[in-house]
Amino acid sequence: MNSEIKKLSIDADRLWSDLAAMAEIGPGVGSGNNRQSLTDADRDGRLLFQSWCEAANCSVSVDPMGNMFARRAGTDPDAMAVMVGSHLDTQPTGGRYDGVLGVLAGLEVVRTLNDLGIKTERPIEIVNWSNEEGARFAPPMLASGVFAGVYERDWAYARTDADGLRFGDELERIGFKGCERGDDIAPHAYLELHIEQGPILEDEGIDIGVVTHGQGLKWLRVTLTGREAHAGSTPMPRRANAGLGAARITELVEQIALEHAPHAVGTVGQVNVYPNSPNIVPGRVDLTIDFRHPQTDTLIDIETRFRAGVATMADEIGLGFTIEDVGGFDPVAFDAALLAQVRQASTALGLSHRDIVSGAGHDACWVNRIAPTAMIFCPCIDGLSHNENEAITREWAAAGADVLLHVALEAAGIAC
Ligand code: GLV
Ligand code: MN
Ligand code: MN
């Protein structure tokens, strides 16, 4: 690589202003975003992204799951693409950078190559995966899961939101149900830049996280069934209180995660109480459980203990219950050769780096099944994410995008 190429960097101001422009779409209640998957706000964000990609001379296509691919042609018409990207959908009270950074940094890579007239042998494709968050349609990473052959498309189309609306119908409604990409869809390599969503890089003053592994995840949905009854006239011993069961499950999840310290985490994130009236003993509660751990065996042990604990608790309180397996994934190890390139590019750019395990799920975890994949982390303030106050600095974003640029260029090959 010549010295001019070694010094290449993206336009930090342009990336920063694009991040701010995307955050105008689907504003949240605070400083973040509510751009949940397949809402009107998601559609508007997609259209803005598409217009930026077309202005950068990319051809934009959409697959049947609404995944968007913006392609910058390479000089070799038969070469498989190097894919860079992440997701533009957000949590209901999401930040401005979770996912968005990876997509817009991908666009910045392409614009930088355009500005400098650098041609690559392989095409570069910027991807925006549909429904990474799983907040509106569970499970998360639904569309990259279909892309990687983990889920059936029709099963994915049949996922419903809280109002019973189907993923497939909502995709059609916003005008992003696209066409087959053909048989050979796997990229040559996939690269995803993402904020860490945890505190390690900032605490240690490190610029770049080289993501060696992603931890495993298990999502369950528990439905507890008791008996609705008058809150004033029903004696305590005669109640079948599904609300009490939900409280015990919340304790159980905490206890099981702590028993598997230091790596296990467990969360009850969504609780729906029926009929949700102040003077009715709850007759039914639905709640979601999110367990994560870097080792498959431990994750299985956690689930087994949880299921046994729910059965014991339900018996004690006199409740019926069901436990639905909503989805999840096994821990993953990313591609060693690409990780070496991430370390090398960071060093060449004068950026400090360390290996790190991702606590969050990412589309990269699924794409890793069909193509060599690497993730690059940049720090975020206080490790805060899935929160409207999620924040990063312009310099952190630029450093991550610079590493992405160099690794993508190495993978795509500079054409003579
Ligand atoms: C994805 O956002 C996750 O929950 O890990
Ligand atoms: Mn994300
Ligand atoms: Mn997220």
Side-chain angles (χ1 to χ4, degrees):
M1 209 181 262
N2 69 36
S3 58
E4 287 307 302
I5 299 290
K6 267 192 196 155
K7 280 187 279 179
L8 268 192
S9 62
I10 58 93
D11 182 332
D13 288 334
R14 188 169 54 190
L15 174 60
W16 198 241
S17 92
D18 282 357
L19 286 164
M22 186 55 77
E24 297 288 315
I25 297 183
V29 289
S31 55
N33 283 102
N34 181 0
R35 208 169 45 242
Q36 290 183 72
S37 192
L38 312 193
T39 57
D40 290 356
D42 182 24
R43 177 200 56 214
D44 294 348
R46 287 165 175 266
L47 291 172
L48 178 61
F49 169 61
Q50 180 167 349
S51 70
W52 284 338
C53 292
E54 285 169 351
N57 289 325
C58 291
S59 51
V60 178
S61 64
V62 179
D63 79 1
M65 285 298 292
N67 297 318
M68 300 174 69
F69 305 91
R71 188 178 180 96
R72 179 183 194 261
T75 54
D76 179 351
D78 300 322
M80 294 189 315
V82 171
M83 207 178 258
V84 291
S86 192
H87 61 96
L88 292 174
D89 70 317
T90 75
Q91 291 286 330
T93 53
R96 298 164 161 230
Y97 307 104
D98 171 0
V100 186
L101 176 65
V103 178
L104 299 189
L107 173 60
E108 194 49 43
V109 166
V110 162
R111 285 171 170 170
T112 303
L113 298 180
N114 288 350
D115 291 348
L116 299 171
I118 297 174
K119 292 193 171 128
T120 54
E121 288 163 5
R122 297 181 179 281
I124 294 183
E125 266 187 341
I126 315 155
V127 56
N128 168 34
W129 302 107
S130 299
N131 190 44
E132 189 276 348
E133 294 291 5
R136 182 174 177 208
F137 299 99
M141 296 125 64
L142 183 69
S144 54
V146 172
F147 183 85
V150 179
Y151 302 125
E152 293 290 332
R153 189 194 303 163
D154 286 342
W155 180 85
Y157 282 165
R159 299 305 90 208
T160 51
D161 70 3
D163 297 322
L165 298 172
R166 293 171 75 256
F167 182 93
D169 297 338
E170 285 293 275
L171 190 56
E172 204 156 341
R173 185 188 70 78
I174 66 161
F176 273 88
K177 196 186 250 184
C179 310
E180 296 291 352
R181 267 169 69 85
D183 293 337
D184 193 14
I185 60 166
H188 170 70
Y190 174 60
L191 306 169
E192 183 166 346
L193 169 65
H194 206 282
I195 62 167
E196 181 198 338
Q197 306 183 275
I200 296 171
L201 297 177
E202 188 193 27
D203 282 356
E204 297 184 6
I206 304 260
D207 304 311
I208 297 294
V210 183
V211 187
T212 58
H213 295 81
Q215 68 176 348
L217 165 104
K218 175 56 91 179
W219 270 15
L220 303 166
R221 183 186 305 277
V222 180
T223 300
L224 297 171
T225 316
R227 192 178 57 247
E228 286 157 36
H230 196 292
S233 52
T234 314
M236 298 305 281
R238 295 183 69 123
R239 298 179 179 208
N241 181 354
L244 176 60
R248 296 256 169 99
I249 285 183
T250 305
E251 287 284 1
L252 179 67
V253 167
E254 188 88 3
Q255 180 196 330
I256 292 175
L258 290 173
E259 279 167 11
H260 292 80
H263 296 304
V265 286
T267 305
V268 174
Q270 199 174 52
V271 181
N272 297 308
V273 178
Y274 301 93
N276 208 18
S277 167
N279 49 357
I280 299 181
V281 176
R284 179 160 67 88
V285 178
D286 295 331
L287 58 168
T288 60
I289 319 297
D290 175 315
F291 278 123
R292 308 195 191 205
H293 195 277
Q295 280 153 12
T296 307
D297 291 355
T298 311
L299 206 50
I300 292 171
D301 181 52
I302 285 173
E303 182 181 349
T304 307
R305 287 203 206 188
F306 175 73
R307 286 179 180 271
V310 172
T312 306
M313 174 280 297
D315 190 46
E316 280 167 13
I317 305 183
L319 302 174
F321 73 93
T322 58
I323 302 179
E324 183 194 346
D325 189 336
V326 180
F329 47 85
D330 291 337
V332 300
F334 291 113
D335 184 75
L338 283 176
L339 295 178
Q341 283 176 24
V342 175
R343 291 186 196 100
Q344 202 179 353
S346 306
T347 305
L349 289 162
L351 299 167
S352 55
H353 60 86
R354 59 158 281 169
D355 288 0
I356 195 164
V357 173
S358 173
H362 298 286
D363 297 302
C365 299
W366 284 147
V367 182
N368 188 54
R369 292 188 163 209
I370 56 165
T373 294
M375 289 198 74
I376 303 160
F377 275 177
C378 73
C380 62
I381 290 171
D382 272 344
L384 197 62
S385 185
H386 286 191
N387 183 311
E388 293 206 28
N389 292 323
E390 179 186 275
I392 62 175
T393 70
R394 174 185 168 285
E395 288 67 34
W396 290 341
D402 280 344
V403 174
L404 181 70
L405 168 67
H406 282 260
V407 180
L409 207 45
E410 183 73 27
I414 297 174
C416 306

